[in-house]
Amino acid sequence: MTTIPGAWSNQAWWPQDQQPAQEWWTPPQFARPTVWPPQAPAADWQAPAQLLPPAQPPAAHEAWLQPTAEAWAPPAALPGPPVIGEHPPAPPTGQPTAEPPTTEELPLPVDRLVPESRPVKVSVDNNRCHIYGICQQEAPEVFRISEGGSLHYTGAVPARLAARARQAVRCCPMQAIAISDAAPPGARRRRTPAAERPAEYRRIVVAGGGLAGLSAAGRLRERGYDGELVLIGEELRRPYSRPPLSKQFLAGELGAEDLTFRADDTLDAHWLLGTQLLGLDTESRSVELRGGERLPYDGLVVATGVDARRLPSTPVVSDRVRTVRTLADAAAIQQALQQARAHHVVILGGGFVGCELACTARDLGMEVTLVVHSAPLLRRVLGSKLGEVVGRIQARAGVDVRLGTRISHWRDTGTGLRLQLDDGELLEADFVVLGLGSVPRTEWLRGSTLDTADGVLCDTTCHALDVAGRPVPGVVAAGDVARWPNARFDATPRRVEHLIHAVEMGQHAADALLAGPEQAARFTPVPRFWSEQHGTRLQAVGMPALGERMEVVEGSLRTESFVATYHRDTATGSQLVAAVAFDRPRQLLDYRDAIGRIGPMPRTLTSRRRRR
């Protein structure tokens, strides 16, 4: 495993009075299209930087969403999303109708955590942590990356910060952080009283045994839901972290048990593992299981995730051609590579999975050919300039990168694979791994009333919509399978496939299910993702694919250590849609809260830019 620069230090955290002030931003005022019916403006609110007690006790109908009096939580509902431009086009049939634009702040998912009443203890596995800085994004009062690149944290976390520390554990890509209650033996974590939960939700079914489903189930219990909770998973394992499958797991650095999520305690839920979903009947409120059995539900969370994409011409019957999506896939690849004593591996796909597989194969001493239809690498995610940087990193590590190339013919020779490229060249390979992206797992929803074009279509609150654009009673969606409009950017529904997104959307979907379509808040996260390319840490906040132009604001592309920002023009000004960092995790932290901002950047960012 590549050694990450910067020594570890488990020092105590700095005093609370020395914490840097957090800068909140307010989006500019959007023009109100004349097509919207007049509505009374919602009360403005501002989320403070620290948890504070509410000024007044919550109303009775909001009690289930409110923590106890010793901690603060944002209001249960927020107005609709801002719309970029003065006169947005009418949404096509089946698309959610955007609500009137507003001017108040868009909260982050961390602002809606359920406070805890007891302190906790945290510890970090130095051998597993790659210092991506996700923990500092989630709990800056607990974790901090120093100037030298080492991680400092406090082991004893007070109760008022326990929820943030637990969220950092959930979002850690390497599952390197352990958390335990510091309470006396037998004490239990406090949960929000369940007196105000909807009485009709006697049973809630979570369709999907991945991280989004686990996150939703955990939030339901945190909110005080004490009814029957059923989780249905197609795999035989409890939820685990998937990003390491193409890296640390294949390389043998982590085992299967190391990947299991461990942030939450017992859910008091029924697990139906190894169970395939075959259908959904929204009228009778039931899901169909393999064998024809029907499981009734009162509330449903759709979190079935995605499946690996395959090529129509791929010889699927060959054991030498594999995809990597599940733990079983990765274990099969690991075993096949060992049995075949593979020396030359061909990887199809220039996205993150393909590039990370190439890194792992090179670390194992194999010859690697990366066949990519587009050019350069990661172009769809990061754009051409940063994609060229990734290409240089791969080539320098010895990867044979073939851009703008397709495989036109496949042949399994019995001892290997013979691949013909579209330019006529032949490649002899011991093994081929497909890293061609993913497709939503919605086949079981065919025949239901849900809109499943490129995932389950949702409104701004995560409630699933039918083909007529109406919320389906008692159904929400979360994770990779969900397509929804993020008001931080615009009113276009999109899917997001990142680990942190699965955590945050699962939690929000649970809140939305209990609140109902009319009272639920909008889901307005800042997407975040990361990768590692032959020892270079790549991290991003926002959605770089939305950017119309890219600018390097710190460092330089030549040194391969920089921060780049992505912007696009709107009717009201230039909008910051993303920031990407190569080997600068600490510098990237300040950009998260500015994502979606229109107009001048915060002073803290512009001053740093002038000093670079």
Side-chain angles (χ1 to χ4, degrees), residues 63-105:
W64 74 268
L65 270 179
Q66 297 288 350
T68 57
E70 67 183 37
W72 168 91
L78 289 174
V83 179
I84 304 301
E86 295 186 359
H87 300 285
T93 303
Q95 300 288 336
T97 301
E99 301 175 11
T102 56
T103 59
E104 64 272 10
E105 295 177 356

Side-chain angles (χ1 to χ4, degrees), residues 9-94:
S9 176
N10 297 349
Q11 299 178 11
W13 188 240
W14 64 73
Q16 185 66 32
D17 58 3
Q18 297 181 17
Q19 289 283 330
Q22 298 187 18
E23 181 169 349
W24 291 85
W25 65 275
T26 301
Q29 190 169 17
F30 291 87
R32 184 181 300 276
T34 56
V35 296
W36 300 117
Q39 296 185 4
D44 293 336
W45 67 280
Q46 183 175 6
Q50 299 180 1
L51 301 178
L52 299 172
Q56 297 179 352
H61 70 279
E62 294 178 340
W64 74 268
L65 270 179
Q66 297 288 350
T68 57
E70 67 183 37
W72 168 91
L78 289 174
V83 179
I84 304 301
E86 295 186 359
H87 300 285
T93 303

Side-chain angles (χ1 to χ4, degrees), residues 201-327:
Y201 287 158
R202 295 182 298 273
R203 173 190 289 162
I204 293 179
V205 171
V206 178
L211 178 56
L214 175 67
S215 182
R219 177 57 66 89
L220 288 170
R221 290 306 192 204
E222 286 182 329
R223 290 298 188 197
Y225 175 73
D226 57 0
E228 184 180 2
L229 189 58
V230 182
L231 287 87
I232 304 174
E234 194 170 36
E235 297 184 61
L236 293 173
R237 298 186 58 87
R238 294 282 182 96
Y240 56 88
S241 180
R242 297 183 189 271
L245 292 179
S246 59
K247 296 169 286 188
Q248 290 81 12
F249 179 80
L250 275 184
E253 298 171 6
L254 296 178
E257 294 303 321
D258 296 325
L259 305 181
T260 303
F261 290 113
R262 56 188 182 184
D264 294 284
D265 53 12
T266 303
L267 286 174
D268 187 22
H270 300 291
W271 289 85
L272 300 181
L273 299 177
T275 303
Q276 186 178 6
L277 288 158
L278 297 182
L280 169 65
D281 188 338
T282 57
E283 293 296 327
S284 64
R285 292 202 177 194
S286 64
V287 294
E288 181 182 354
L289 308 179
R290 183 174 54 190
E293 179 185 359
R294 290 193 171 274
L295 177 65
Y297 67 83
D298 300 302
L300 175 65
V301 180
V302 178
T304 42
V306 295
D307 202 357
R309 186 185 301 276
R310 303 187 71 95
L311 289 175
S313 59
T314 304
V316 294
V317 295
S318 175
D319 290 336
R320 297 179 181 273
V321 180
R322 297 279 185 174
T323 60
V324 53
R325 178 62 192 170
T326 66
L327 185 59

